[in-house]
Amino acid sequence: MLAFHLIPYAVAAWLFLCGLYGIVTSGHLVHTVISLVVLQTSTYVLLLAVGFRWGAVAPVFADISPGVVTVDPVVQALMLTDVVVEATVVALLLAMVVKVHEKAGTLSPDDLRMMRG
Amino acid sequence: MNVKWRLGMFFIAGACFLFFYLIAARNLPPWGHYPGPYGDVISSLAVYQRHATDVVNAIDYDYRGFDTLGEEFILFTSIIGVMLLLRDPKPRGGTAESDEGLSKTVKVSAGGLFGITLIFGLYICTHGQLTPGGGFQGGVIVATAFMLVYIAENLRRFKAIASHPLMEVLEALGAALYALVGVSALAVGLPFLTNWIPLGTTGDVFSSGTIAIISASVGLEVATGFILLSYTYLQDIVSGREE
């Protein structure tokens, strides 16, 4: 029974480690950025799992009466804004990747070792 | 440090992380049995305190409005960063963009969807205080409507909309409006971002005071921001080819 209750937390850990593995072994900068996105989705799984409640409804009181048991709205609010903000941050990282390719002519992190003034 | 060393370090660090994470996870509430109390308190109070029926947006644009202001400025600065980095596209070879790429069926469908998508996006932006939605989601839908212009017409038509000076002004205005709503509370002698505007009737579109205004301003910021973002990338790809 204990293992069942740990399932979403295990999924979050799995996503986190998958993303980290991708970053560590990455041979292409676009792949590194996408791995970071995978890593970050683990936080969504973790947050939503903490606030979930069996048999509860969404915290929107437009068509339910006040006092009905709902899932935790705080964790949902935490991740809601981040979904859109993350997309723009990824766009910024990819713009940096474009510039790296222009300046260095390569996208492999291993070939970017030397510093140039 | 080669890949082998990096992998070794990853497995050591990953095993350590997993060990402590699983110890910590055992003390988290079991899945599906959220114990409260904060979520329950705010769920039962938000409708009475703020006259907003969507509690998630009441938290985002009011109870933790200061955090959301910060998040919105992350979005704002990221978009400025992209525009700054890609301001001067370099020729990269390849063929020039042609307008013949897509079939008539795709173009006509995209044109027909433009109005529906735009209205739906504006609806989501302005009804965030009542039903699921709000500025962040609605803004992305509005931006999608303008990308349908690119599919239905051509890049030149999309450029004419996206490169209009008004687009940057509107983006800055969206970001500024949020901060101005916060400052306006100071003007009437209340703490920053206090919901001081009359709350109206619960369930009405013009209810919940500053929540509706902030949600709309975030929608403006996100919509124009994403249009500028896609325009910057398209510009980089296309002018890289033409020259």
Side-chain angles (χ1 to χ4, degrees):
Chain A
M1 207 55 201
L2 183 72
F4 175 73
H5 287 317
L6 283 175
I7 286 174
Y9 304 132
V11 170
W14 173 251
L15 281 171
F16 181 86
L17 290 173
C18 275
L20 199 61
Y21 177 83
I23 292 170
V24 167
T25 60
S26 182
H28 195 285
L29 283 178
V30 175
H31 174 266
T32 316
V33 174
I34 302 302
S35 300
L36 187 70
V37 177
V38 173
L39 190 150
Q40 210 194 345
T41 49
S42 67
T43 59
Y44 303 157
V45 176
L46 183 67
L47 279 174
L48 292 183
V50 169
F52 182 64
R53 183 182 268 164
W54 293 109
V57 293
V60 178
F61 292 92
D63 51 359
I64 56 172
S65 56
V68 175
V69 176
T70 64
V71 298
D72 184 10
V74 178
V75 286
Q76 295 194 7
L78 285 177
M79 66 154 289
L80 183 151
T81 53
D82 187 60
V83 174
V84 174
V85 172
E86 189 209 356
T88 56
V89 172
V90 167
L92 180 64
L93 288 173
L94 289 175
M96 287 177 185
V97 172
V98 170
K99 282 288 146 187
V100 166
H101 186 255
E102 254 170 39
K103 295 276 188 288
T106 175
L107 281 174
S108 171
D110 292 322
D111 299 338
L112 293 170
R113 224 167 290 165
M114 60 290 193
M115 276 170 64
R116 277 178 298 189
Chain B
M1 199 160 52
N2 59 21
V3 177
K4 216 168 157 188
W5 271 98
R6 265 189 278 162
L7 261 181
M9 287 184 72
F10 165 75
F11 280 118
I12 294 167
C16 289
F17 163 76
L18 208 60
F19 177 70
F20 288 111
Y21 175 81
L22 285 177
I23 290 174
R26 284 184 55 175
N27 291 319
L28 283 171
W31 181 33
H33 298 276
Y34 169 66
Y38 304 110
D40 295 325
V41 170
I42 214 157
S43 270
S44 53
L45 281 182
V47 181
Y48 298 108
Q49 283 189 341
R50 299 292 190 262
H51 294 201
T53 50
D54 185 0
V55 180
V56 177
N57 273 315
I59 294 169
D60 261 334
Y61 301 126
D62 192 326
Y63 292 106
R64 67 178 278 265
F66 196 56
D67 272 8
T68 311
L69 181 66
E71 294 222 28
E72 201 206 29
F73 275 95
I74 297 176
L75 184 128
F76 187 67
T77 45
S78 297
I79 290 163
I80 291 175
V82 172
M83 291 171 74
L84 196 70
L85 280 173
L86 302 179
R87 69 190 179 284
D88 183 23
K90 297 273 187 306
R92 216 172 284 128
T95 50
E97 182 93 346
S98 81
D99 293 344
E100 307 296 318
L102 294 164
S103 73
K104 263 224 150 56
T105 321
V106 174
K107 283 177 178 262
V108 170
S109 325
L113 278 171
F114 171 75
I116 300 167
T117 314
L118 187 64
I119 296 293
F120 181 59
L122 292 175
Y123 161 75
I124 295 285
C125 275
T126 49
H127 288 68
Q129 66 277 22
L130 305 176
T131 46
F136 281 100
Q137 301 93 315
V140 176
I141 299 172
V142 171
T144 313
F146 286 96
M147 280 165 224
L148 285 171
V149 173
Y150 170 54
I151 294 175
E153 294 281 337
N154 47 43
L155 185 67
R156 214 173 53 247
R157 196 60 72 81
F158 180 68
K159 264 185 191 171
I161 299 171
S163 66
H164 199 279
L166 197 64
M167 206 53 91
E168 287 172 38
V169 174
L170 284 176
E171 203 218 354
L173 202 69
L177 200 59
Y178 194 150
L180 284 176
V181 170
V183 173
S184 73
L186 296 178
V188 293
L190 292 164
F192 186 63
L193 275 171
T194 306
N195 196 342
W196 63 277
I197 295 171
L199 293 170
T201 321
T202 307
D204 200 57
V205 179
F206 298 102
S207 66
S208 72
T210 55
I211 295 175
I213 300 169
I214 290 174
S215 175
S217 77
V218 169
L220 182 69
E221 152 78 9
V222 172
T224 49
F226 270 73
I227 291 168
L228 286 171
L229 208 60
S230 48
Y231 167 69
T232 311
Y233 269 98
L234 279 170
Q235 181 75 2
D236 184 70
I237 293 164
V238 172
S239 61
R241 280 177 184 164
E242 274 170 353
E243 283 159 36

Short mmCIF file of all heavy atoms in Angstrom, two decimals, chain B residues 38-76:
data_model
loop_
_atom_site.label_atom_id
_atom_site.label_comp_id
_atom_site.label_asym_id
_atom_site.label_seq_id
_atom_site.Cartn_x
_atom_site.Cartn_y
_atom_site.Cartn_z
N TYR B 38 -4.03 24.80 4.18
CA TYR B 38 -4.02 26.07 3.44
C TYR B 38 -4.97 26.06 2.24
O TYR B 38 -5.72 27.01 2.02
CB TYR B 38 -2.61 26.40 3.00
CG TYR B 38 -1.64 26.44 4.15
CD1 TYR B 38 -0.68 25.47 4.31
CD2 TYR B 38 -1.75 27.45 5.11
CE1 TYR B 38 0.18 25.49 5.38
CE2 TYR B 38 -0.89 27.47 6.19
CZ TYR B 38 0.07 26.48 6.32
OH TYR B 38 0.91 26.51 7.38
N GLY B 39 -4.93 24.98 1.45
CA GLY B 39 -5.78 24.89 0.28
C GLY B 39 -7.25 24.96 0.63
O GLY B 39 -8.04 25.62 -0.04
N ASP B 40 -7.63 24.28 1.73
CA ASP B 40 -9.04 24.28 2.14
C ASP B 40 -9.47 25.65 2.65
O ASP B 40 -10.58 26.11 2.36
CB ASP B 40 -9.27 23.23 3.23
CG ASP B 40 -9.04 21.82 2.70
OD1 ASP B 40 -9.37 21.60 1.53
OD2 ASP B 40 -8.51 20.98 3.45
N VAL B 41 -8.58 26.30 3.41
CA VAL B 41 -8.91 27.63 3.94
C VAL B 41 -9.15 28.60 2.79
O VAL B 41 -10.16 29.32 2.75
CB VAL B 41 -7.77 28.14 4.86
CG1 VAL B 41 -7.99 29.61 5.20
CG2 VAL B 41 -7.70 27.31 6.12
N ILE B 42 -8.22 28.60 1.81
CA ILE B 42 -8.32 29.57 0.72
C ILE B 42 -9.50 29.22 -0.20
O ILE B 42 -10.18 30.11 -0.73
CB ILE B 42 -6.98 29.66 -0.04
CG1 ILE B 42 -6.77 31.09 -0.53
CG2 ILE B 42 -6.88 28.68 -1.16
CD1 ILE B 42 -5.35 31.44 -0.77
N SER B 43 -9.79 27.92 -0.37
CA SER B 43 -10.94 27.52 -1.17
C SER B 43 -12.24 28.04 -0.58
O SER B 43 -13.14 28.48 -1.30
CB SER B 43 -11.02 25.99 -1.26
OG SER B 43 -10.31 25.51 -2.35
N SER B 44 -12.35 27.99 0.75
CA SER B 44 -13.63 28.39 1.35
C SER B 44 -13.72 29.90 1.53
O SER B 44 -14.81 30.44 1.65
CB SER B 44 -13.80 27.68 2.70
OG SER B 44 -12.67 27.91 3.51
N LEU B 45 -12.57 30.59 1.52
CA LEU B 45 -12.60 32.04 1.77
C LEU B 45 -12.61 32.90 0.49
O LEU B 45 -13.17 33.99 0.48
CB LEU B 45 -11.41 32.45 2.63
CG LEU B 45 -11.50 32.19 4.13
CD1 LEU B 45 -10.25 32.70 4.80
CD2 LEU B 45 -12.74 32.85 4.71
N ALA B 46 -11.97 32.39 -0.58
CA ALA B 46 -11.72 33.25 -1.74
C ALA B 46 -13.00 33.81 -2.35
O ALA B 46 -13.05 34.97 -2.75
CB ALA B 46 -10.94 32.48 -2.81
N VAL B 47 -14.06 32.98 -2.41
CA VAL B 47 -15.30 33.44 -3.03
C VAL B 47 -15.90 34.60 -2.21
O VAL B 47 -16.39 35.57 -2.78
CB VAL B 47 -16.30 32.28 -3.16
CG1 VAL B 47 -17.59 32.76 -3.82
CG2 VAL B 47 -15.70 31.15 -3.99
N TYR B 48 -15.83 34.51 -0.89
CA TYR B 48 -16.39 35.57 -0.05
C TYR B 48 -15.49 36.80 0.00
O TYR B 48 -15.95 37.93 -0.05
CB TYR B 48 -16.61 35.04 1.37
CG TYR B 48 -17.58 33.90 1.42
CD1 TYR B 48 -17.15 32.61 1.67
CD2 TYR B 48 -18.94 34.11 1.17
CE1 TYR B 48 -18.03 31.55 1.69
CE2 TYR B 48 -19.83 33.07 1.19
CZ TYR B 48 -19.38 31.78 1.45
OH TYR B 48 -20.26 30.76 1.45
N GLN B 49 -14.17 36.57 0.08
CA GLN B 49 -13.25 37.70 0.23
C GLN B 49 -13.04 38.46 -1.07
O GLN B 49 -12.85 39.67 -1.06
CB GLN B 49 -11.90 37.19 0.74
CG GLN B 49 -11.90 36.88 2.22
CD GLN B 49 -10.49 36.61 2.71
OE1 GLN B 49 -9.59 36.31 1.93
NE2 GLN B 49 -10.30 36.71 4.02
N ARG B 50 -13.02 37.75 -2.21
CA ARG B 50 -12.62 38.38 -3.47
C ARG B 50 -13.71 38.34 -4.53
O ARG B 50 -13.52 38.85 -5.62
CB ARG B 50 -11.35 37.70 -4.02
CG ARG B 50 -10.15 37.79 -3.09
CD ARG B 50 -9.64 39.22 -2.98
NE ARG B 50 -8.37 39.27 -2.30
CZ ARG B 50 -8.22 39.55 -0.99
NH1 ARG B 50 -9.27 39.79 -0.24
NH2 ARG B 50 -7.02 39.59 -0.45
N HIS B 51 -14.83 37.69 -4.28
CA HIS B 51 -15.93 37.57 -5.25
C HIS B 51 -15.46 36.94 -6.56
O HIS B 51 -16.00 37.24 -7.61
CB HIS B 51 -16.59 38.92 -5.51
CG HIS B 51 -17.30 39.47 -4.31
ND1 HIS B 51 -18.29 40.41 -4.38
CD2 HIS B 51 -17.17 39.19 -2.98
CE1 HIS B 51 -18.73 40.70 -3.16
NE2 HIS B 51 -18.05 39.98 -2.30
N ALA B 52 -14.43 36.09 -6.50
CA ALA B 52 -13.94 35.39 -7.69
C ALA B 52 -14.24 33.91 -7.51
O ALA B 52 -13.93 33.33 -6.46
CB ALA B 52 -12.44 35.60 -7.86
N THR B 53 -14.86 33.29 -8.54
CA THR B 53 -15.23 31.88 -8.37
C THR B 53 -14.10 30.93 -8.75
O THR B 53 -14.11 29.78 -8.34
CB THR B 53 -16.48 31.54 -9.21
OG1 THR B 53 -16.28 32.02 -10.54
CG2 THR B 53 -17.72 32.19 -8.63
N ASP B 54 -13.13 31.37 -9.57
CA ASP B 54 -11.98 30.53 -9.85
C ASP B 54 -10.89 30.83 -8.82
O ASP B 54 -10.21 31.86 -8.90
CB ASP B 54 -11.46 30.78 -11.27
CG ASP B 54 -10.34 29.82 -11.62
OD1 ASP B 54 -9.98 28.99 -10.76
OD2 ASP B 54 -9.82 29.90 -12.74
N VAL B 55 -10.75 29.91 -7.85
CA VAL B 55 -9.83 30.18 -6.74
C VAL B 55 -8.38 30.22 -7.21
O VAL B 55 -7.58 30.99 -6.69
CB VAL B 55 -10.02 29.12 -5.63
CG1 VAL B 55 -9.09 29.36 -4.48
CG2 VAL B 55 -11.46 29.12 -5.15
N VAL B 56 -8.05 29.40 -8.24
CA VAL B 56 -6.66 29.37 -8.72
C VAL B 56 -6.23 30.76 -9.20
O VAL B 56 -5.14 31.24 -8.89
CB VAL B 56 -6.51 28.32 -9.84
CG1 VAL B 56 -5.09 28.33 -10.39
CG2 VAL B 56 -6.84 26.94 -9.34
N ASN B 57 -7.11 31.44 -9.96
CA ASN B 57 -6.77 32.78 -10.43
C ASN B 57 -6.82 33.80 -9.31
O ASN B 57 -6.06 34.78 -9.33
CB ASN B 57 -7.72 33.18 -11.56
CG ASN B 57 -7.21 32.71 -12.89
OD1 ASN B 57 -6.03 32.85 -13.19
ND2 ASN B 57 -8.07 32.11 -13.68
N ALA B 58 -7.72 33.61 -8.35
CA ALA B 58 -7.75 34.51 -7.20
C ALA B 58 -6.42 34.46 -6.45
O ALA B 58 -5.92 35.49 -5.99
CB ALA B 58 -8.90 34.14 -6.26
N ILE B 59 -5.82 33.27 -6.37
CA ILE B 59 -4.51 33.15 -5.72
C ILE B 59 -3.45 33.84 -6.59
O ILE B 59 -2.66 34.66 -6.12
CB ILE B 59 -4.14 31.67 -5.50
CG1 ILE B 59 -5.10 31.04 -4.49
CG2 ILE B 59 -2.70 31.54 -5.03
CD1 ILE B 59 -4.98 29.54 -4.41
N ASP B 60 -3.47 33.51 -7.90
CA ASP B 60 -2.41 33.99 -8.78
C ASP B 60 -2.38 35.51 -8.90
O ASP B 60 -1.30 36.12 -8.88
CB ASP B 60 -2.57 33.39 -10.17
CG ASP B 60 -1.65 32.21 -10.37
OD1 ASP B 60 -0.61 32.18 -9.70
OD2 ASP B 60 -1.96 31.35 -11.19
N TYR B 61 -3.55 36.13 -9.06
CA TYR B 61 -3.57 37.56 -9.35
C TYR B 61 -3.89 38.41 -8.11
O TYR B 61 -4.00 39.61 -8.22
CB TYR B 61 -4.58 37.86 -10.46
CG TYR B 61 -4.27 37.13 -11.73
CD1 TYR B 61 -5.22 36.33 -12.36
CD2 TYR B 61 -3.01 37.23 -12.31
CE1 TYR B 61 -4.92 35.65 -13.52
CE2 TYR B 61 -2.70 36.55 -13.47
CZ TYR B 61 -3.65 35.77 -14.07
OH TYR B 61 -3.36 35.09 -15.21
N ASP B 62 -4.07 37.77 -6.95
CA ASP B 62 -4.37 38.55 -5.77
C ASP B 62 -3.55 38.10 -4.55
O ASP B 62 -2.63 38.80 -4.13
CB ASP B 62 -5.87 38.47 -5.47
CG ASP B 62 -6.30 39.48 -4.43
OD1 ASP B 62 -5.50 39.76 -3.53
OD2 ASP B 62 -7.42 40.00 -4.53
N TYR B 63 -3.84 36.90 -4.04
CA TYR B 63 -3.17 36.47 -2.80
C TYR B 63 -1.66 36.38 -2.98
O TYR B 63 -0.91 36.77 -2.09
CB TYR B 63 -3.73 35.12 -2.34
CG TYR B 63 -5.16 35.18 -1.87
CD1 TYR B 63 -6.19 34.67 -2.65
CD2 TYR B 63 -5.49 35.75 -0.65
CE1 TYR B 63 -7.50 34.72 -2.22
CE2 TYR B 63 -6.79 35.81 -0.23
CZ TYR B 63 -7.80 35.30 -1.01
OH TYR B 63 -9.09 35.36 -0.59
N ARG B 64 -1.21 35.84 -4.14
CA ARG B 64 0.23 35.84 -4.41
C ARG B 64 0.53 36.71 -5.64
O ARG B 64 1.40 36.38 -6.45
CB ARG B 64 0.78 34.42 -4.57
CG ARG B 64 0.32 33.66 -5.78
CD ARG B 64 0.97 32.29 -5.85
NE ARG B 64 2.29 32.33 -6.42
CZ ARG B 64 2.57 32.12 -7.71
NH1 ARG B 64 1.61 31.89 -8.56
NH2 ARG B 64 3.82 32.13 -8.15
N GLY B 65 -0.17 37.84 -5.74
CA GLY B 65 -0.01 38.71 -6.89
C GLY B 65 1.40 39.24 -7.07
O GLY B 65 1.86 39.45 -8.19
N PHE B 66 2.12 39.42 -5.96
CA PHE B 66 3.49 39.96 -6.04
C PHE B 66 4.41 38.96 -6.75
O PHE B 66 5.25 39.36 -7.56
CB PHE B 66 3.98 40.28 -4.63
CG PHE B 66 5.18 41.15 -4.60
CD1 PHE B 66 5.18 42.39 -5.23
CD2 PHE B 66 6.33 40.76 -3.94
CE1 PHE B 66 6.29 43.21 -5.22
CE2 PHE B 66 7.45 41.58 -3.92
CZ PHE B 66 7.44 42.80 -4.55
N ASP B 67 4.22 37.66 -6.45
CA ASP B 67 5.01 36.61 -7.12
C ASP B 67 4.72 36.60 -8.61
O ASP B 67 5.64 36.48 -9.43
CB ASP B 67 4.63 35.24 -6.55
CG ASP B 67 5.46 34.89 -5.34
OD1 ASP B 67 6.20 35.79 -4.87
OD2 ASP B 67 5.37 33.76 -4.87
N THR B 68 3.42 36.69 -8.94
CA THR B 68 3.04 36.64 -10.35
C THR B 68 3.59 37.83 -11.10
O THR B 68 3.95 37.72 -12.27
CB THR B 68 1.51 36.57 -10.47
OG1 THR B 68 1.04 35.54 -9.60
CG2 THR B 68 1.08 36.23 -11.87
N LEU B 69 3.66 38.99 -10.44
CA LEU B 69 4.29 40.16 -11.06
C LEU B 69 5.74 39.84 -11.43
O LEU B 69 6.20 40.15 -12.54
CB LEU B 69 4.24 41.35 -10.10
CG LEU B 69 4.84 42.67 -10.59
CD1 LEU B 69 4.04 43.23 -11.74
CD2 LEU B 69 4.91 43.68 -9.46
N GLY B 70 6.44 39.19 -10.51
CA GLY B 70 7.82 38.78 -10.79
C GLY B 70 7.90 37.81 -11.95
O GLY B 70 8.75 37.94 -12.83
N GLU B 71 6.97 36.82 -11.96
CA GLU B 71 6.98 35.83 -13.04
C GLU B 71 6.71 36.49 -14.38
O GLU B 71 7.29 36.12 -15.41
CB GLU B 71 5.90 34.77 -12.77
CG GLU B 71 6.21 33.94 -11.54
CD GLU B 71 5.92 32.49 -11.75
OE1 GLU B 71 6.00 32.04 -12.90
OE2 GLU B 71 5.61 31.79 -10.77
N GLU B 72 5.80 37.49 -14.36
CA GLU B 72 5.48 38.16 -15.61
C GLU B 72 6.70 38.92 -16.12
O GLU B 72 6.91 39.02 -17.32
CB GLU B 72 4.30 39.11 -15.41
CG GLU B 72 3.63 39.43 -16.71
CD GLU B 72 2.93 40.77 -16.68
OE1 GLU B 72 3.38 41.68 -15.95
OE2 GLU B 72 1.95 40.92 -17.37
N PHE B 73 7.52 39.44 -15.21
CA PHE B 73 8.70 40.15 -15.66
C PHE B 73 9.79 39.20 -16.13
O PHE B 73 10.64 39.59 -16.94
CB PHE B 73 9.20 41.11 -14.59
CG PHE B 73 8.48 42.43 -14.65
CD1 PHE B 73 7.37 42.68 -13.87
CD2 PHE B 73 8.86 43.39 -15.57
CE1 PHE B 73 6.68 43.87 -13.96
CE2 PHE B 73 8.18 44.59 -15.68
CZ PHE B 73 7.09 44.83 -14.87
N ILE B 74 9.78 37.94 -15.65
CA ILE B 74 10.68 36.93 -16.25
C ILE B 74 10.31 36.75 -17.71
O ILE B 74 11.16 36.75 -18.61
CB ILE B 74 10.57 35.58 -15.51
CG1 ILE B 74 11.00 35.70 -14.05
CG2 ILE B 74 11.42 34.52 -16.21
CD1 ILE B 74 10.82 34.42 -13.26
N LEU B 75 8.98 36.62 -17.96
CA LEU B 75 8.47 36.49 -19.33
C LEU B 75 8.89 37.68 -20.17
O LEU B 75 9.40 37.55 -21.28
CB LEU B 75 6.95 36.36 -19.26
CG LEU B 75 6.16 36.12 -20.53
CD1 LEU B 75 5.26 34.91 -20.34
CD2 LEU B 75 5.29 37.30 -20.87
N PHE B 76 8.67 38.87 -19.62
CA PHE B 76 8.97 40.13 -20.31
C PHE B 76 10.45 40.21 -20.69
O PHE B 76 10.81 40.46 -21.85
CB PHE B 76 8.58 41.28 -19.40
CG PHE B 76 8.68 42.64 -20.02
CD1 PHE B 76 7.85 43.01 -21.06
CD2 PHE B 76 9.61 43.56 -19.55
CE1 PHE B 76 7.94 44.27 -21.63
CE2 PHE B 76 9.70 44.82 -20.11
CZ PHE B 76 8.87 45.17 -21.15
#
